[in-house]
Amino acid sequence: VPRVVFRLPGGRERAVAAVEGASVLQAARAGAVAIEGSCGGAMACATCHVVVDGAWHGRLPPPSAEEEGMLDLAREPTPTSRLGCQIRLTPALDGLVVRVPASSLLE
Ligand code: FES
């Protein structure tokens, strides 16, 4: 099973074992990491914004034009920002590290 490490505000980390084929957003929810993701993965909100660790960013399939467009609406986007709902977890991504900005978390 692919494991995802979520880096949370304040320096906390949570490692979640995800179902293969699940999205990072789904893995977060399964692991009690409260990423907002208000559109439920329909690429219509950008509230699932995560910042992929630099060592992992180049190993992900590139974002679609739709994802790129939606990332422009993310709060505080960075060069390694992605939509959590658009990253599919495969065995090759086992150990993926993403930072969850405070703006993407439900309170
Ligand atoms: S959950 Fe809305 S764009 Fe990802």
Side-chain angles (χ1 to χ4, degrees):
V1 283
R3 215 172 40 101
V4 190
V5 176
F6 292 95
R7 293 207 170 122
L8 300 167
R12 288 170 301 138
E13 271 192 8
R14 190 188 298 265
V16 175
V19 179
E20 193 178 328
S23 69
V24 165
L25 175 62
Q26 288 167 332
R29 289 184 169 163
V33 175
I35 296 181
E36 185 170 346
S38 59
C39 78
M43 250 200 291
C45 73
T47 61
C48 62
H49 168 216
V50 295
V51 178
V52 178
D53 181 76
W56 283 96
H57 186 250
R59 295 160 74 169
L60 300 181
S64 64
E66 291 82 2
E67 182 179 351
E68 294 266 25
M70 194 50 62
L71 279 167
D72 287 342
L73 304 180
R75 276 163 279 181
E76 309 160 73
T78 76
T80 67
S81 287
R82 294 294 302 262
L83 294 180
C85 69
Q86 298 303 308
I87 303 172
R88 292 277 149 213
L89 294 165
T90 61
L93 294 182
D94 182 35
L96 176 68
V97 178
V98 301
R99 180 170 68 79
V100 184
S103 57
S104 295
L105 285 171
L106 294 166
E107 36 227 43

